[in-house]
Amino acid sequence: TGFGDLFSGGRFLGRFIVYSIVAGFVIGIGFALCVVPGYILAFGLSLAPFLMVDQDLSPVDALKRSWEMTKGYKVTIFLFQLLGTLIYLVASTCALGIFIAVPMQVIGSAYIYLRIKGENPQAPT
């Protein structure tokens, strides 16, 4: 591993752009209908970025698979996001707190993805 690894994900850029447009459109429609459907769609599609990288799926296939994987887990994802938002708000009162809260949120999301996928990731030591 080296400094170059930081920029090795460039091959996913196109997929992430397509994912962002499609997911943003779908979630936007959900929010236009009512706030609750927007959040349900957002939580249901939240694993797509992990699937695009981990399983090398196209953006549309990743969105479909994310929706399938999150069946029965949307409330868990909601509670995690709610807790993460609260931690972020508290951390934002201290400028450096954001640099802790945001990475923790991303790592927590990856942990949720791995757990839903069926893996049992070890806690960092």
Side-chain angles (χ1 to χ4, degrees), residues 39 42-43 46-47 49-50 74-92 96-114 124:
Y39 278 113
F43 300 142
S46 65
L47 302 182
F50 298 108
K74 288 178 186 70
V75 172
T76 302
I77 295 170
F78 164 74
L79 293 173
F80 170 76
Q81 295 296 341
L82 179 65
L83 179 62
T85 301
L86 294 173
I87 291 170
Y88 177 81
L89 291 172
V90 170
S92 66
L96 294 178
I98 294 172
F99 295 108
I100 296 169
V102 173
M104 285 178 57
Q105 185 88 1
V106 173
I107 292 168
S109 296
Y111 182 83
I112 287 174
Y113 164 71
L114 291 172

Side-chain angles (χ1 to χ4, degrees), residues 44-63:
L45 303 177
S46 65
L47 302 182
F50 298 108
L51 289 161
M52 287 189 301
V53 174
D54 185 39
Q55 298 182 15
D56 203 28
L57 297 178
S58 72
V60 173
D61 289 338
L63 289 165

